[in-house]
Amino acid sequence: MRRFLVAIVCVAILVGTNARAELDSVSLSALARKSIVFLSYDVTNDKTGEIESHSATGFLVSSHGLVLTAAHVVREWQGQNEAELGKHPMSGRMHSISDGKVVPLEPVGRDDQADLAVLKFRDGGDDYPTTSLCYAEDLASGTLLMAFGFPRAKEFTPFPVTLANGDAPGGRWSANVNFVEGVSGGPVYGSDGRVVGVVKGGYADVAAVRYITPVIRAREMLRKVAVEDECLDRAAKSGKPARDDSIATLRDPSCDGNSCSAMFAVAFSKDGRRIATGGRQGAIAIWSVPDGKLVQRLVGDGGTVEQVSFDGSSTGERVMSVGNGRVSVWDVRSGRRIFRIGSAAKLYDRATWSDDDTVLATSGMMSGFALWDGMTGAERVSPGYSASAALSPDGHFFAYSRRLGVVERIELSSGLVRATELDDEKRVDVLKVDPTSATILAAYAPDVVALIAAQTGAVLAQIKAPGGSLKDAAFSPDGKSVALLTLNGGLGLYSKLGEHVGDLAFSYRKNGAPWAGQAGIPWSIDFAEGGLIGAGSINGEVVVWDARSQRQTDYFEGHGPEQVVQVKFSPDGQYIASACFDGTVKLWKLRKGQP
């Protein structure tokens, strides 16, 4: 097969190089506009059925119409089923939003670990303008770069960039600019007029991201579709490999190389020897710990698996999954589905077992909540709609909120209902019960958290969440402490009586030395035996603290530059697992401050 040269790739040091003349911002903008591409696509929300419009940026690297962009852009679009993909093709427009014809695009390569993807214009053209790529070695803090994109579907915009750190997590660079949604996939130019990196911009609930992926990370993918090997091989010899601290990387067997659907759920069995995972590919997988070998793969109902959990048996004989509005309980050994809860008229997105597995509670945004026999799936109680709900671990009561500013709890043995009125008639968005079943957490207003005594209904404390709306909360295993995580990344630690114990900082590496660049905003947390708190960030990092000393004990890198959706500790506190948008679940051995 005939190979053709797609881009000129070289190794250069941007600062102080005399290989090419430096260009001013006007000249760089004119150069970038020639090959930049505005990307647009629609996605069907699998929960609401609504059509959501999205946009991003790419740039041409081949006269044959190959476009380099960010993988999370393509993955979001490809996450739809075949019918939806046919209805909502991804398209590109050259140079600007308003000029030029709209041409459909097809994916030809994707690397979720690097967060890079290649698209191809489907019109068969072979005279597209291209840009030159350049790998920059040992970029120093303070290096001036120029990024380009279409922020929030607005016109072509330049972003002057100062490099904050040339060795940020995941083999990326950290910049001083907040790249908002729509700029993802945009080119980052050096002053000599060659592209050195690709923007990782904001997405979903994440307002902005400050990372740049070095273009050398696209080497293998570009080689497969177009680029001459010799040129990139020379550049690769100067590249630094991405760091990976994990002891096992788990990918669904159906994924193609580095192109894997996002992972959303992870759970350990009670004995810590197995992990269950689930994600956008619609299947549930069981793996052994610590070697990460596949034990069983369970085929679900399609769509996204949002939650997995093992039963209370010591070895994890059954596993529960929640996805596509259904709750399924499986026999791990045989792979057989024992029972399923939910239908087209009753869709559930959360489920919880009691500690003894006798009660199973489900809840859904549109279907309300219900209680079921945890062994057979037979319905026991269906109280109705609630904005939030939680089952006590001991299975004695169920907490819910059907009225504004009111938390009710029903005793399952007697049917007795007790109510606690809060100080504000606002919707209760989050309800959690601590592991000892003694305290109920209710979040409302939306940044106020109430701690309620489960037995009496008395409000023990009211807490103002640290810096914004509550994103997640986790009780310590003994129920004496609670960690609160807010959308803006605040992570506060409190006693069960509401006393502020301290705030946990996320912006320091494992040895406590600060680094220049964007602090990873925590996105999910877990609390373990021994007072350990773990968090995953929007940038792929996993961090662990000792809650008693409030000191960071572990800092892990290895995920792609993507959002860590969930973290879970093993029951023995030896490992932490993380599910990430990069299509992997990673297992990490806790060092607890040891080298």
Side-chain angles (χ1 to χ4, degrees), residues 16 30 87 122 223 277 300 317 319 361 403 405 467-468 569:
K87 293 178 185 177
R122 294 167 57 182
R223 284 181 61 191
T277 63
E317 298 173 0
V319 68
R403 295 178 288 161
F569 285 104

Side-chain angles (χ1 to χ4, degrees), residues 165-182:
N165 191 298
D167 187 24
R172 293 156 287 159
W173 303 328
S174 178
N176 70 330
V177 173
N178 287 324
F179 297 118
V180 298
E181 186 175 4

